[in-house]
């Protein structure tokens, strides 16, 4: 809780994992003996300010998550596991519909980002009190090109790299704002890949806050190799 407001973390964990080329959901792949998702949950479990955790899961994985995964750790903040949707947007929307109407702060996070740092979570929560909408991210290191279309791939714009950030999660908002933005999205039939995009379209300014370059989303087999290196790095600290 911060400034008298409950803080709720929504962890989206209903993805398809197609690019991981694994026979199990990537969030259940084990790192250092624990599923990826458990590493993620523990970060929010141990973050001050965070009161509750809601997980959006595939329907056919809910029992496994409740009975096999969560008992692996000392987890007290997970209050519900909700049926997710076919997209991240729908999963978060389902989780929002479960929450009571209250003056709360919401953190939306990807279940496949287990390397988020606790101090970054806490700093972002503190910032949202003042700024209303905050996204964790990092400045891009590469020069980015925009092409005319997917087929031709003709470059028509090279944006100023100094103005470009790579959005990560968590993304933090007031519950009433995020709900209103998602309702606007439903009415306008807007499809987005992260929460901040729909909040931006709704008209609320969103601020970037510095994250870390190792806060990667595990998507491909190559990411797992990086993850193993990050785990070894954390063990030596």
């Amino acid at each position: 809780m911060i400034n008298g407001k409950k803080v709720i973390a929504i962890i989206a964990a209903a993805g398809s994992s197609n690019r991981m080329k694994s026979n199990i959901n990537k969030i259940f792949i084990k790192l250092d003996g624990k599923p990826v998702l458990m590493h993620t949950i523990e970060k929010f479990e141990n973050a001050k300010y965070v009161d509750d955790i809601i997980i959006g899961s595939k329907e056919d994985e809910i029992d496994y998550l409740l009975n096999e995964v969560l008992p692996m750790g000392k987890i007290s903040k997970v209050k519900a596991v909700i049926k997710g949707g076919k997209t991240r947007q729908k999963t978060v929307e389902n989780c929002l519909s479960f929450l009571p109407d209250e003056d709360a702060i919401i953190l939306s996070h990807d279940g496949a980002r287990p390397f988020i740092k606790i101090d970054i979570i806490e700093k972002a929560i503190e910032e949202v009190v003042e700024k209303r909408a905050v996204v964790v991210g990092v400045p891009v290191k590469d020069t980015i090109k925009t092409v005319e279309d997917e087929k031709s791939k003709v470059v028509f714009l090279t944006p100023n790299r100094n103005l470009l950030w790579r959005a990560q999660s968590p993304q933090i908002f007031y519950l009433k704002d995020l709900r209103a933005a998602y309702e606007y999205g439903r009415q306008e039939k807007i499809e987005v890949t992260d929460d901040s995009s729909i909040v931006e379209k709704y008209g609320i300014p969103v601020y970037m806050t510095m994250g870390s370059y190792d806060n990667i989303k595990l998507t491909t087999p190559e990411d797992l190799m990086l993850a193993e290196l990050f785990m070894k790095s954390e063990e030596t600290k």
Side-chain angles (χ1 to χ4, degrees):
M1 186 167 286
I2 187 169
N3 278 22
K5 294 177 174 57
K6 180 181 282 189
V7 178
I8 304 168
I10 292 174
I11 299 179
S16 61
S17 302
N18 290 334
R19 287 174 288 177
M20 186 58 74
K21 299 178 183 178
S22 171
N23 58 358
I24 63 171
N25 191 333
K26 63 186 177 184
I27 61 170
F28 299 132
I29 294 173
K30 288 188 177 180
L31 291 175
D32 196 28
K34 290 187 294 189
V36 167
L37 182 60
M38 179 55 70
H39 288 283
T40 304
I41 292 170
E42 286 178 342
K43 297 298 177 63
F44 292 88
E45 176 75 23
N46 294 316
K48 68 179 180 181
Y49 306 130
V50 175
D51 299 294
D52 296 341
I53 300 171
I54 308 297
I55 302 172
S57 169
K58 286 184 177 180
E59 185 175 19
D60 61 358
E61 293 176 344
I62 291 177
D63 285 344
Y64 177 70
L65 206 164
L66 287 170
N67 299 318
E68 301 293 335
V69 177
L70 292 179
M72 291 182 183
K74 295 180 180 179
I75 304 299
S76 63
K77 293 182 181 180
V78 173
K79 303 305 179 185
V81 179
I82 305 300
K83 176 185 173 183
K86 292 183 178 180
T87 64
R88 187 188 188 285
Q89 180 176 348
K90 185 60 178 174
T91 294
V92 174
E93 196 171 357
N94 288 356
C95 291
L96 288 174
S97 67
F98 168 81
L99 297 176
D101 187 13
E102 59 183 319
D103 190 13
I105 290 172
I106 298 295
L107 293 87
S108 178
H109 190 70
D110 303 310
R113 287 189 191 271
F115 296 107
I116 179 64
K117 291 179 170 57
I118 293 174
D119 62 335
I120 291 174
I121 295 172
E122 294 170 351
K123 178 174 175 286
I125 294 170
E126 292 168 354
E127 286 192 21
V128 83
V129 173
E130 176 187 351
K131 296 179 178 177
R132 189 175 176 183
V134 173
V135 172
V136 169
V138 290
V140 301
K141 296 181 178 180
D142 301 317
T143 297
I144 304 298
K145 302 287 185 180
T146 304
V147 297
E148 290 182 353
D149 57 67
E150 292 183 14
K151 185 177 180 180
S152 72
K153 297 181 175 62
V154 175
V155 173
F156 79 91
L157 178 65
T158 303
N160 182 350
R161 184 174 63 185
N162 295 328
L163 302 178
L164 299 177
W165 284 62
R166 182 189 304 158
Q168 301 175 340
S169 67
Q171 302 189 355
I172 308 96
F173 315 93
Y174 285 96
L175 174 56
K176 60 182 179 180
D177 287 340
L178 193 56
R179 272 197 171 132
Y182 267 92
E183 178 59 32
Y184 172 76
R186 282 193 295 272
Q187 293 174 359
E188 299 296 323
K189 295 181 172 56
I190 297 171
E191 294 184 5
V192 296
T193 55
D194 76 338
D195 307 283
S196 65
S197 296
I198 206 163
V199 171
E200 293 161 30
K201 292 179 185 296
Y202 180 61
I204 296 174
V206 176
Y207 293 82
M208 298 300 302
T209 187
M210 190 66 183
S212 65
Y213 287 95
D214 54 0
N215 182 24
I216 62 172
K217 184 177 181 181
L218 303 184
T219 305
T220 66
E222 292 77 16
D223 295 331
L224 288 178
M225 290 187 282
L226 272 178
E228 294 290 350
L229 290 174
F230 292 158
M231 290 300 302
K232 290 179 181 177
S233 176
E234 288 191 348
E235 289 171 2
T236 58
K237 287 180 181 177

